[in-house]
Each structure stands twice: as structure tokens, then as C-alpha cells.
Amino acid sequence: DARARVVRTVNSEMVLSYWHIGRELVETELVEYVQRGEARAEYGKEVIEGLSRQLLTRVCKGYSARNL
């Protein structure tokens, strides 16, 4: 039972973390830029790198562009 509770708790926290990352991405100015019709290949790297910088500043390590 204890292992199952741990797994559920960790899973819930991961989902919440990913939701917050998604919300951060939607709220950035980069998304406004992206929605002006730019091709994905051109903006994807910039979006991830910008999000990584923001998360590393606000949260802590573990949110490098490569990890995202």
C-alpha cells in the first residue's frame, strides 16, 4: 500500500509540474510571437530555451532546455 501511495503521489506531482510548465509556456510573449504564423522549426528551439531560462531562474536546476 505504501509503495502504491508513493507512486500516485509522485505521479500527481509530475502532472502538476508539467501543467505549470505548460501554463508558463502559454503565458510567455514567445507564444504570441509564435501565433503570428511562424513555422515550428524556426521557433521551437527559441521557445524551449526561453522557457528553460525562466524555470531555472524561478524554480531551480533540472529544467535545462535538453530536459524540457
Side-chain angles (χ1 to χ4, degrees):
D1 280 345
R3 283 187 181 166
R5 283 193 307 272
V6 168
V7 169
R8 282 192 302 273
T9 301
V10 169
N11 187 43
S12 295
E13 291 300 315
M14 288 177 63
V15 168
L16 185 60
S17 176
Y18 295 151
W19 182 84
H20 283 289
I21 290 170
R23 186 182 71 181
E24 184 71 30
L25 183 59
V26 169
E27 291 178 356
T28 64
E29 292 179 21
L30 291 174
V31 170
E32 289 179 22
Y33 169 77
V34 164
Q35 292 174 343
R36 292 183 187 148
E38 294 294 320
R40 282 187 180 200
E42 294 178 25
Y43 73 76
K45 186 175 180 182
E46 182 180 337
V47 170
I48 296 299
E49 288 174 357
L51 180 61
S52 172
R53 283 191 301 274
Q54 290 177 4
L55 291 171
L56 288 170
T57 301
R58 291 162 130 191
V59 181
C60 69
K61 64 182 180 178
Y63 292 101
S64 67
R66 182 176 178 163
N67 283 347
L68 293 176

Short mmCIF file of all heavy atoms in Angstrom, two decimals:
data_model
loop_
_atom_site.label_atom_id
_atom_site.label_comp_id
_atom_site.label_asym_id
_atom_site.label_seq_id
_atom_site.Cartn_x
_atom_site.Cartn_y
_atom_site.Cartn_z
N ASP A 1 0.82 -1.20 0.00
CA ASP A 1 0.00 0.00 0.00
C ASP A 1 0.86 1.26 0.00
O ASP A 1 0.54 2.23 -0.69
CB ASP A 1 -0.93 0.03 1.21
CG ASP A 1 -2.17 -0.83 1.01
OD1 ASP A 1 -2.46 -1.21 -0.14
OD2 ASP A 1 -2.84 -1.11 2.02
N ALA A 2 1.92 1.25 0.80
CA ALA A 2 2.78 2.43 0.89
C ALA A 2 3.42 2.74 -0.45
O ALA A 2 3.47 3.90 -0.87
CB ALA A 2 3.85 2.23 1.95
N ARG A 3 3.91 1.74 -1.15
CA ARG A 3 4.51 1.96 -2.48
C ARG A 3 3.50 2.52 -3.46
O ARG A 3 3.81 3.41 -4.23
CB ARG A 3 5.09 0.66 -3.02
CG ARG A 3 6.39 0.28 -2.39
CD ARG A 3 6.99 -0.91 -3.08
NE ARG A 3 8.23 -1.27 -2.44
CZ ARG A 3 8.86 -2.39 -2.62
NH1 ARG A 3 8.34 -3.30 -3.44
NH2 ARG A 3 9.98 -2.64 -2.01
N ALA A 4 2.31 2.00 -3.44
CA ALA A 4 1.27 2.47 -4.35
C ALA A 4 0.94 3.94 -4.07
O ALA A 4 0.75 4.73 -5.00
CB ALA A 4 0.02 1.61 -4.22
N ARG A 5 0.90 4.32 -2.80
CA ARG A 5 0.63 5.72 -2.44
C ARG A 5 1.77 6.62 -2.91
O ARG A 5 1.53 7.73 -3.40
CB ARG A 5 0.41 5.86 -0.94
CG ARG A 5 -0.96 5.40 -0.47
CD ARG A 5 -1.26 5.84 0.96
NE ARG A 5 -0.22 5.48 1.92
CZ ARG A 5 -0.16 4.32 2.58
NH1 ARG A 5 -1.09 3.39 2.40
NH2 ARG A 5 0.81 4.08 3.44
N VAL A 6 2.99 6.15 -2.74
CA VAL A 6 4.16 6.93 -3.19
C VAL A 6 4.10 7.14 -4.70
O VAL A 6 4.30 8.25 -5.19
CB VAL A 6 5.48 6.25 -2.78
CG1 VAL A 6 6.67 6.89 -3.48
CG2 VAL A 6 5.66 6.31 -1.27
N VAL A 7 3.81 6.08 -5.44
CA VAL A 7 3.73 6.18 -6.89
C VAL A 7 2.64 7.16 -7.30
O VAL A 7 2.85 8.01 -8.18
CB VAL A 7 3.48 4.79 -7.52
CG1 VAL A 7 3.12 4.90 -8.99
CG2 VAL A 7 4.71 3.91 -7.34
N ARG A 8 1.48 7.08 -6.69
CA ARG A 8 0.39 8.01 -7.02
C ARG A 8 0.77 9.45 -6.69
O ARG A 8 0.49 10.37 -7.45
CB ARG A 8 -0.89 7.61 -6.29
CG ARG A 8 -1.61 6.44 -6.92
CD ARG A 8 -3.01 6.26 -6.35
NE ARG A 8 -3.03 6.05 -4.90
CZ ARG A 8 -2.90 4.87 -4.30
NH1 ARG A 8 -2.77 3.77 -5.03
NH2 ARG A 8 -2.93 4.77 -2.98
N THR A 9 1.41 9.64 -5.55
CA THR A 9 1.81 10.99 -5.15
C THR A 9 2.83 11.58 -6.11
O THR A 9 2.70 12.72 -6.56
CB THR A 9 2.37 10.99 -3.71
OG1 THR A 9 1.36 10.50 -2.84
CG2 THR A 9 2.80 12.37 -3.28
N VAL A 10 3.84 10.79 -6.44
CA VAL A 10 4.87 11.26 -7.38
C VAL A 10 4.24 11.55 -8.74
O VAL A 10 4.52 12.58 -9.35
CB VAL A 10 6.01 10.24 -7.50
CG1 VAL A 10 6.94 10.59 -8.65
CG2 VAL A 10 6.79 10.17 -6.19
N ASN A 11 3.38 10.68 -9.21
CA ASN A 11 2.73 10.88 -10.48
C ASN A 11 1.89 12.17 -10.47
O ASN A 11 1.93 12.96 -11.41
CB ASN A 11 1.85 9.68 -10.84
CG ASN A 11 1.29 9.78 -12.22
OD1 ASN A 11 1.99 10.15 -13.16
ND2 ASN A 11 0.01 9.46 -12.37
N SER A 12 1.16 12.38 -9.41
CA SER A 12 0.35 13.60 -9.29
C SER A 12 1.23 14.85 -9.32
O SER A 12 0.89 15.85 -9.97
CB SER A 12 -0.46 13.58 -8.00
OG SER A 12 -1.40 12.55 -8.04
N GLU A 13 2.33 14.81 -8.61
CA GLU A 13 3.24 15.96 -8.58
C GLU A 13 3.87 16.20 -9.95
O GLU A 13 4.06 17.34 -10.36
CB GLU A 13 4.32 15.78 -7.52
CG GLU A 13 3.79 15.85 -6.11
CD GLU A 13 3.13 17.19 -5.80
OE1 GLU A 13 3.69 18.25 -6.16
OE2 GLU A 13 2.05 17.19 -5.18
N MET A 14 4.20 15.14 -10.67
CA MET A 14 4.76 15.30 -12.02
C MET A 14 3.74 15.92 -12.95
O MET A 14 4.07 16.82 -13.73
CB MET A 14 5.25 13.95 -12.56
CG MET A 14 6.49 13.44 -11.88
SD MET A 14 7.00 11.81 -12.46
CE MET A 14 7.35 12.14 -14.16
N VAL A 15 2.51 15.45 -12.89
CA VAL A 15 1.45 16.01 -13.74
C VAL A 15 1.26 17.49 -13.42
O VAL A 15 1.16 18.32 -14.33
CB VAL A 15 0.13 15.22 -13.57
CG1 VAL A 15 -1.03 15.97 -14.22
CG2 VAL A 15 0.27 13.83 -14.16
N LEU A 16 1.23 17.82 -12.15
CA LEU A 16 1.07 19.22 -11.75
C LEU A 16 2.24 20.07 -12.24
O LEU A 16 2.06 21.17 -12.74
CB LEU A 16 0.94 19.31 -10.23
CG LEU A 16 0.65 20.68 -9.65
CD1 LEU A 16 -0.67 21.23 -10.21
CD2 LEU A 16 0.58 20.59 -8.14
N SER A 17 3.44 19.53 -12.13
CA SER A 17 4.63 20.24 -12.61
C SER A 17 4.54 20.49 -14.10
O SER A 17 4.80 21.60 -14.59
CB SER A 17 5.87 19.43 -12.27
OG SER A 17 7.01 20.03 -12.80
N TYR A 18 4.15 19.48 -14.87
CA TYR A 18 4.03 19.63 -16.33
C TYR A 18 2.93 20.62 -16.68
O TYR A 18 3.05 21.39 -17.63
CB TYR A 18 3.78 18.28 -17.00
CG TYR A 18 4.92 17.31 -16.86
CD1 TYR A 18 4.69 15.95 -16.84
CD2 TYR A 18 6.24 17.74 -16.75
CE1 TYR A 18 5.72 15.04 -16.72
CE2 TYR A 18 7.28 16.85 -16.62
CZ TYR A 18 7.02 15.50 -16.61
OH TYR A 18 8.05 14.61 -16.50
N TRP A 19 1.86 20.64 -15.90
CA TRP A 19 0.78 21.59 -16.15
C TRP A 19 1.29 23.02 -15.95
O TRP A 19 1.01 23.90 -16.75
CB TRP A 19 -0.40 21.30 -15.22
CG TRP A 19 -1.55 22.21 -15.47
CD1 TRP A 19 -2.52 22.07 -16.41
CD2 TRP A 19 -1.84 23.44 -14.78
NE1 TRP A 19 -3.39 23.13 -16.34
CE2 TRP A 19 -3.00 23.99 -15.35
CE3 TRP A 19 -1.22 24.11 -13.74
CZ2 TRP A 19 -3.55 25.17 -14.92
CZ3 TRP A 19 -1.78 25.30 -13.31
CH2 TRP A 19 -2.93 25.82 -13.90
N HIS A 20 2.06 23.22 -14.88
CA HIS A 20 2.61 24.55 -14.63
C HIS A 20 3.57 24.97 -15.73
O HIS A 20 3.59 26.14 -16.13
CB HIS A 20 3.30 24.61 -13.26
CG HIS A 20 2.35 24.69 -12.12
ND1 HIS A 20 1.61 25.82 -11.85
CD2 HIS A 20 2.01 23.79 -11.18
CE1 HIS A 20 0.85 25.61 -10.79
NE2 HIS A 20 1.07 24.38 -10.37
N ILE A 21 4.38 24.05 -16.21
CA ILE A 21 5.29 24.36 -17.32
C ILE A 21 4.48 24.75 -18.55
O ILE A 21 4.79 25.73 -19.23
CB ILE A 21 6.22 23.17 -17.62
CG1 ILE A 21 7.22 23.00 -16.47
CG2 ILE A 21 6.94 23.37 -18.95
CD1 ILE A 21 8.02 21.72 -16.54
N GLY A 22 3.43 24.02 -18.85
CA GLY A 22 2.58 24.35 -19.99
C GLY A 22 1.93 25.70 -19.84
O GLY A 22 1.87 26.49 -20.79
N ARG A 23 1.47 26.01 -18.64
CA ARG A 23 0.86 27.32 -18.38
C ARG A 23 1.89 28.42 -18.58
O ARG A 23 1.61 29.46 -19.17
CB ARG A 23 0.30 27.38 -16.97
CG ARG A 23 -0.46 28.68 -16.71
CD ARG A 23 -0.96 28.74 -15.32
NE ARG A 23 0.21 28.94 -14.45
CZ ARG A 23 0.16 29.03 -13.15
NH1 ARG A 23 -0.98 28.90 -12.52
NH2 ARG A 23 1.24 29.21 -12.43
N GLU A 24 3.09 28.19 -18.12
CA GLU A 24 4.17 29.18 -18.28
C GLU A 24 4.45 29.42 -19.76
O GLU A 24 4.61 30.55 -20.19
CB GLU A 24 5.44 28.68 -17.58
CG GLU A 24 6.57 29.66 -17.58
CD GLU A 24 6.33 30.85 -16.68
OE1 GLU A 24 5.62 30.72 -15.67
OE2 GLU A 24 6.86 31.92 -17.00
N LEU A 25 4.45 28.36 -20.51
CA LEU A 25 4.69 28.47 -21.94
C LEU A 25 3.59 29.27 -22.63
O LEU A 25 3.85 30.14 -23.44
CB LEU A 25 4.78 27.06 -22.56
CG LEU A 25 5.08 26.96 -24.03
CD1 LEU A 25 6.41 27.62 -24.33
CD2 LEU A 25 5.10 25.52 -24.46
N VAL A 26 2.37 29.03 -22.27
CA VAL A 26 1.24 29.73 -22.87
C VAL A 26 1.27 31.21 -22.51
O VAL A 26 0.89 32.06 -23.31
CB VAL A 26 -0.09 29.08 -22.43
CG1 VAL A 26 -1.28 29.94 -22.80
CG2 VAL A 26 -0.23 27.71 -23.06
N GLU A 27 1.72 31.54 -21.32
CA GLU A 27 1.70 32.92 -20.85
C GLU A 27 2.89 33.75 -21.34
O GLU A 27 2.91 34.94 -21.15
CB GLU A 27 1.65 32.95 -19.33
CG GLU A 27 0.33 32.46 -18.79
CD GLU A 27 0.29 32.44 -17.27
OE1 GLU A 27 1.31 32.73 -16.63
OE2 GLU A 27 -0.78 32.13 -16.75
N THR A 28 3.87 33.13 -21.98
CA THR A 28 5.04 33.89 -22.42
C THR A 28 4.75 34.68 -23.67
O THR A 28 3.87 34.37 -24.46
CB THR A 28 6.24 32.95 -22.70
OG1 THR A 28 5.91 32.10 -23.79
CG2 THR A 28 6.61 32.15 -21.49
N GLU A 29 5.52 35.72 -23.86
CA GLU A 29 5.41 36.53 -25.06
C GLU A 29 5.81 35.73 -26.29
O GLU A 29 5.37 36.03 -27.40
CB GLU A 29 6.28 37.77 -24.93
CG GLU A 29 5.78 38.75 -23.89
CD GLU A 29 6.69 39.96 -23.78
OE1 GLU A 29 7.43 40.24 -24.73
OE2 GLU A 29 6.63 40.62 -22.74
N LEU A 30 6.63 34.71 -26.10
CA LEU A 30 7.07 33.91 -27.23
C LEU A 30 5.89 33.25 -27.93
O LEU A 30 5.88 33.12 -29.15
CB LEU A 30 8.08 32.84 -26.78
CG LEU A 30 9.43 33.35 -26.32
CD1 LEU A 30 10.25 32.19 -25.76
CD2 LEU A 30 10.16 34.02 -27.45
N VAL A 31 4.90 32.86 -27.17
CA VAL A 31 3.74 32.22 -27.78
C VAL A 31 2.99 33.21 -28.65
O VAL A 31 2.52 32.88 -29.73
CB VAL A 31 2.83 31.59 -26.72
CG1 VAL A 31 1.52 31.13 -27.32
CG2 VAL A 31 3.54 30.42 -26.06
N GLU A 32 2.91 34.45 -28.20
CA GLU A 32 2.27 35.46 -29.03
C GLU A 32 3.02 35.60 -30.35
O GLU A 32 2.44 35.71 -31.41
CB GLU A 32 2.22 36.81 -28.31
CG GLU A 32 1.25 36.82 -27.16
CD GLU A 32 1.23 38.17 -26.45
OE1 GLU A 32 1.64 39.17 -27.07
OE2 GLU A 32 0.81 38.20 -25.30
N TYR A 33 4.34 35.58 -30.27
CA TYR A 33 5.16 35.64 -31.47
C TYR A 33 4.91 34.43 -32.35
O TYR A 33 4.74 34.55 -33.55
CB TYR A 33 6.64 35.71 -31.08
CG TYR A 33 7.59 35.53 -32.22
CD1 TYR A 33 7.82 36.56 -33.13
CD2 TYR A 33 8.25 34.33 -32.41
CE1 TYR A 33 8.69 36.39 -34.18
CE2 TYR A 33 9.13 34.15 -33.45
CZ TYR A 33 9.35 35.18 -34.34
OH TYR A 33 10.20 35.01 -35.40
N VAL A 34 4.84 33.28 -31.74
CA VAL A 34 4.64 32.02 -32.46
C VAL A 34 3.30 32.04 -33.18
O VAL A 34 3.18 31.58 -34.31
CB VAL A 34 4.69 30.84 -31.46
CG1 VAL A 34 4.11 29.57 -32.08
CG2 VAL A 34 6.11 30.61 -31.02
N GLN A 35 2.29 32.57 -32.59
CA GLN A 35 0.96 32.53 -33.16
C GLN A 35 0.80 33.47 -34.35
O GLN A 35 -0.25 33.52 -34.95
CB GLN A 35 -0.08 32.85 -32.08
CG GLN A 35 -0.17 31.76 -31.05
CD GLN A 35 -1.09 32.11 -29.91
OE1 GLN A 35 -1.44 33.26 -29.70
NE2 GLN A 35 -1.48 31.10 -29.16
N ARG A 36 1.82 34.17 -34.71
CA ARG A 36 1.77 35.04 -35.88
C ARG A 36 2.11 34.30 -37.16
O ARG A 36 2.40 34.91 -38.17
CB ARG A 36 2.71 36.23 -35.70
CG ARG A 36 2.24 37.14 -34.60
CD ARG A 36 3.12 38.34 -34.46
NE ARG A 36 2.72 39.09 -33.29
CZ ARG A 36 3.53 39.78 -32.55
NH1 ARG A 36 4.82 39.86 -32.85
NH2 ARG A 36 3.09 40.42 -31.49
N GLY A 37 2.11 33.00 -37.10
CA GLY A 37 2.27 32.20 -38.32
C GLY A 37 3.67 31.70 -38.62
O GLY A 37 3.92 31.21 -39.71
N GLU A 38 4.59 31.82 -37.69
CA GLU A 38 5.93 31.33 -37.93
C GLU A 38 5.92 29.80 -38.01
O GLU A 38 5.11 29.14 -37.38
CB GLU A 38 6.87 31.76 -36.80
CG GLU A 38 7.08 33.25 -36.74
CD GLU A 38 7.81 33.79 -37.95
OE1 GLU A 38 8.76 33.15 -38.43
OE2 GLU A 38 7.41 34.86 -38.43
N ALA A 39 6.86 29.26 -38.78
CA ALA A 39 6.98 27.80 -38.91
C ALA A 39 7.54 27.22 -37.61
O ALA A 39 8.39 27.83 -36.97
CB ALA A 39 7.89 27.45 -40.08
N ARG A 40 7.08 26.05 -37.24
CA ARG A 40 7.51 25.45 -35.98
C ARG A 40 9.02 25.26 -35.91
O ARG A 40 9.62 25.47 -34.88
CB ARG A 40 6.85 24.09 -35.79
CG ARG A 40 5.44 24.19 -35.34
CD ARG A 40 4.90 22.84 -35.00
NE ARG A 40 3.54 22.98 -34.56
CZ ARG A 40 2.91 22.10 -33.86
NH1 ARG A 40 3.49 20.97 -33.54
NH2 ARG A 40 1.68 22.30 -33.49
N ALA A 41 9.62 24.83 -36.97
CA ALA A 41 11.05 24.57 -36.96
C ALA A 41 11.84 25.82 -36.59
O ALA A 41 12.92 25.74 -36.03
CB ALA A 41 11.50 24.05 -38.32
N GLU A 42 11.30 26.97 -36.87
CA GLU A 42 12.02 28.20 -36.61
C GLU A 42 11.86 28.70 -35.18
O GLU A 42 12.73 29.36 -34.66
CB GLU A 42 11.54 29.29 -37.58
CG GLU A 42 11.87 28.99 -39.02
CD GLU A 42 11.34 30.04 -39.97
OE1 GLU A 42 11.13 31.18 -39.54
OE2 GLU A 42 11.11 29.69 -41.12
N TYR A 43 10.77 28.41 -34.53
CA TYR A 43 10.57 28.97 -33.20
C TYR A 43 10.71 27.97 -32.07
O TYR A 43 10.88 28.36 -30.92
CB TYR A 43 9.20 29.66 -33.09
CG TYR A 43 8.02 28.75 -33.03
CD1 TYR A 43 7.70 28.05 -31.86
CD2 TYR A 43 7.20 28.58 -34.11
CE1 TYR A 43 6.61 27.21 -31.80
CE2 TYR A 43 6.11 27.73 -34.07
CZ TYR A 43 5.82 27.06 -32.90
OH TYR A 43 4.75 26.23 -32.84
N GLY A 44 10.63 26.68 -32.36
CA GLY A 44 10.62 25.67 -31.31
C GLY A 44 11.81 25.74 -30.38
O GLY A 44 11.66 25.70 -29.15
N LYS A 45 12.98 25.86 -30.94
CA LYS A 45 14.19 25.90 -30.12
C LYS A 45 14.19 27.14 -29.23
O LYS A 45 14.53 27.06 -28.05
CB LYS A 45 15.42 25.89 -31.02
CG LYS A 45 16.72 25.79 -30.27
CD LYS A 45 17.90 25.66 -31.21
CE LYS A 45 19.18 25.56 -30.43
NZ LYS A 45 20.35 25.47 -31.30
N GLU A 46 13.79 28.28 -29.77
CA GLU A 46 13.76 29.52 -29.00
C GLU A 46 12.76 29.44 -27.85
O GLU A 46 13.02 29.91 -26.75
CB GLU A 46 13.42 30.69 -29.92
CG GLU A 46 13.42 32.02 -29.23
CD GLU A 46 13.06 33.15 -30.17
OE1 GLU A 46 13.23 33.02 -31.38
OE2 GLU A 46 12.59 34.18 -29.65
N VAL A 47 11.62 28.85 -28.11
CA VAL A 47 10.60 28.72 -27.08
C VAL A 47 11.11 27.87 -25.93
O VAL A 47 10.99 28.25 -24.76
CB VAL A 47 9.29 28.13 -27.66
CG1 VAL A 47 8.32 27.76 -26.55
CG2 VAL A 47 8.65 29.10 -28.62
N ILE A 48 11.70 26.74 -26.24
CA ILE A 48 12.20 25.83 -25.20
C ILE A 48 13.35 26.48 -24.43
O ILE A 48 13.40 26.40 -23.19
CB ILE A 48 12.65 24.49 -25.82
CG1 ILE A 48 11.46 23.76 -26.42
CG2 ILE A 48 13.36 23.62 -24.78
CD1 ILE A 48 10.37 23.41 -25.43
N GLU A 49 14.25 27.15 -25.12
CA GLU A 49 15.37 27.79 -24.43
C GLU A 49 14.89 28.92 -23.52
O GLU A 49 15.38 29.09 -22.41
CB GLU A 49 16.40 28.29 -25.44
CG GLU A 49 17.16 27.15 -26.09
CD GLU A 49 18.09 27.59 -27.20
OE1 GLU A 49 18.12 28.80 -27.53
OE2 GLU A 49 18.78 26.72 -27.74
N GLY A 50 13.93 29.70 -23.98
CA GLY A 50 13.39 30.77 -23.16
C GLY A 50 12.68 30.23 -21.93
O GLY A 50 12.83 30.75 -20.82
N LEU A 51 11.89 29.19 -22.13
CA LEU A 51 11.20 28.57 -21.00
C LEU A 51 12.20 28.00 -20.00
O LEU A 51 12.05 28.15 -18.80
CB LEU A 51 10.25 27.48 -21.50
CG LEU A 51 9.46 26.74 -20.44
CD1 LEU A 51 8.57 27.70 -19.66
CD2 LEU A 51 8.62 25.65 -21.09
N SER A 52 13.25 27.39 -20.51
CA SER A 52 14.29 26.83 -19.64
C SER A 52 14.92 27.92 -18.79
O SER A 52 15.08 27.76 -17.57
CB SER A 52 15.36 26.15 -20.48
OG SER A 52 16.46 25.77 -19.68
N ARG A 53 15.26 29.05 -19.39
CA ARG A 53 15.85 30.15 -18.63
C ARG A 53 14.91 30.62 -17.52
O ARG A 53 15.33 30.86 -16.39
CB ARG A 53 16.20 31.31 -19.56
CG ARG A 53 17.45 31.09 -20.37
CD ARG A 53 17.89 32.36 -21.08
NE ARG A 53 16.88 32.89 -21.99
CZ ARG A 53 16.73 32.53 -23.26
NH1 ARG A 53 17.53 31.61 -23.77
NH2 ARG A 53 15.80 33.07 -24.02
N GLN A 54 13.64 30.75 -17.84
CA GLN A 54 12.67 31.21 -16.85
C GLN A 54 12.54 30.22 -15.69
O GLN A 54 12.52 30.61 -14.52
CB GLN A 54 11.30 31.42 -17.49
CG GLN A 54 11.26 32.60 -18.41
CD GLN A 54 9.90 32.73 -19.08
OE1 GLN A 54 8.98 31.97 -18.80
NE2 GLN A 54 9.78 33.69 -19.99
N LEU A 55 12.45 28.94 -16.02
CA LEU A 55 12.28 27.93 -14.98
C LEU A 55 13.53 27.80 -14.12
O LEU A 55 13.44 27.62 -12.91
CB LEU A 55 11.90 26.58 -15.58
CG LEU A 55 10.50 26.52 -16.18
CD1 LEU A 55 10.31 25.22 -16.95
CD2 LEU A 55 9.44 26.66 -15.10
N LEU A 56 14.70 27.88 -14.74
CA LEU A 56 15.94 27.79 -13.96
C LEU A 56 16.07 28.97 -13.00
O LEU A 56 16.56 28.81 -11.89
CB LEU A 56 17.15 27.74 -14.91
CG LEU A 56 17.33 26.43 -15.66
CD1 LEU A 56 18.40 26.58 -16.74
CD2 LEU A 56 17.66 25.29 -14.73
N THR A 57 15.58 30.12 -13.40
CA THR A 57 15.62 31.29 -12.54
C THR A 57 14.60 31.18 -11.41
O THR A 57 14.89 31.48 -10.26
CB THR A 57 15.34 32.57 -13.36
OG1 THR A 57 16.32 32.67 -14.38
CG2 THR A 57 15.37 33.80 -12.49
N ARG A 58 13.39 30.74 -11.74
CA ARG A 58 12.31 30.73 -10.76
C ARG A 58 12.28 29.48 -9.88
O ARG A 58 11.92 29.55 -8.71
CB ARG A 58 10.96 30.82 -11.46
CG ARG A 58 10.72 32.14 -12.09
CD ARG A 58 9.64 31.98 -13.07
NE ARG A 58 8.60 32.95 -12.94
CZ ARG A 58 7.46 32.85 -13.57
NH1 ARG A 58 7.20 31.80 -14.30
NH2 ARG A 58 6.56 33.79 -13.48
N VAL A 59 12.61 28.33 -10.44
CA VAL A 59 12.45 27.07 -9.71
C VAL A 59 13.79 26.59 -9.20
O VAL A 59 14.08 26.67 -8.02
CB VAL A 59 11.77 26.00 -10.59
CG1 VAL A 59 11.58 24.72 -9.82
CG2 VAL A 59 10.45 26.51 -11.12
N CYS A 60 14.60 26.03 -10.05
CA CYS A 60 15.96 25.59 -9.74
C CYS A 60 16.43 24.69 -10.87
O CYS A 60 15.82 24.63 -11.91
CB CYS A 60 16.03 24.87 -8.39
SG CYS A 60 15.21 23.28 -8.37
N LYS A 61 17.50 23.96 -10.60
CA LYS A 61 18.06 23.11 -11.64
C LYS A 61 17.08 21.99 -12.02
O LYS A 61 16.13 21.72 -11.30
CB LYS A 61 19.38 22.51 -11.17
CG LYS A 61 19.28 21.59 -9.98
CD LYS A 61 20.64 21.11 -9.58
CE LYS A 61 20.50 20.18 -8.37
NZ LYS A 61 21.78 19.65 -7.96
N GLY A 62 17.37 21.37 -13.14
CA GLY A 62 16.53 20.27 -13.60
C GLY A 62 15.65 20.65 -14.77
O GLY A 62 14.95 19.81 -15.33
N TYR A 63 15.67 21.92 -15.16
CA TYR A 63 14.82 22.38 -16.26
C TYR A 63 15.66 22.94 -17.40
O TYR A 63 15.34 23.97 -17.98
CB TYR A 63 13.84 23.44 -15.77
CG TYR A 63 12.80 22.85 -14.83
CD1 TYR A 63 12.90 23.01 -13.46
CD2 TYR A 63 11.73 22.13 -15.35
CE1 TYR A 63 11.96 22.46 -12.61
CE2 TYR A 63 10.79 21.58 -14.49
CZ TYR A 63 10.92 21.76 -13.13
OH TYR A 63 9.97 21.21 -12.30
N SER A 64 16.74 22.25 -17.74
CA SER A 64 17.54 22.68 -18.88
C SER A 64 16.74 22.50 -20.15
O SER A 64 15.74 21.77 -20.18
CB SER A 64 18.82 21.84 -18.97
OG SER A 64 18.49 20.50 -19.29
N ALA A 65 17.16 23.16 -21.21
CA ALA A 65 16.46 23.03 -22.49
C ALA A 65 16.45 21.56 -22.92
O ALA A 65 15.44 21.07 -23.42
CB ALA A 65 17.13 23.90 -23.55
N ARG A 66 17.53 20.87 -22.67
CA ARG A 66 17.59 19.45 -23.05
C ARG A 66 16.57 18.63 -22.26
O ARG A 66 15.91 17.76 -22.81
CB ARG A 66 19.00 18.93 -22.81
CG ARG A 66 19.15 17.49 -23.23
CD ARG A 66 20.57 17.02 -23.07
NE ARG A 66 20.63 15.62 -23.44
CZ ARG A 66 21.73 15.00 -23.73
NH1 ARG A 66 22.88 15.64 -23.70
NH2 ARG A 66 21.70 13.73 -24.05
N ASN A 67 16.43 18.90 -20.97
CA ASN A 67 15.46 18.16 -20.15
C ASN A 67 14.03 18.46 -20.58
O ASN A 67 13.17 17.59 -20.52
CB ASN A 67 15.65 18.47 -18.67
CG ASN A 67 16.82 17.76 -18.07
OD1 ASN A 67 17.37 16.84 -18.65
ND2 ASN A 67 17.22 18.19 -16.90
N LEU A 68 13.76 19.71 -20.94
CA LEU A 68 12.41 20.05 -21.35
C LEU A 68 12.06 19.37 -22.64
O LEU A 68 10.97 18.95 -22.89
CB LEU A 68 12.25 21.57 -21.48
CG LEU A 68 12.35 22.34 -20.18
CD1 LEU A 68 12.29 23.83 -20.48
CD2 LEU A 68 11.25 21.94 -19.22
#
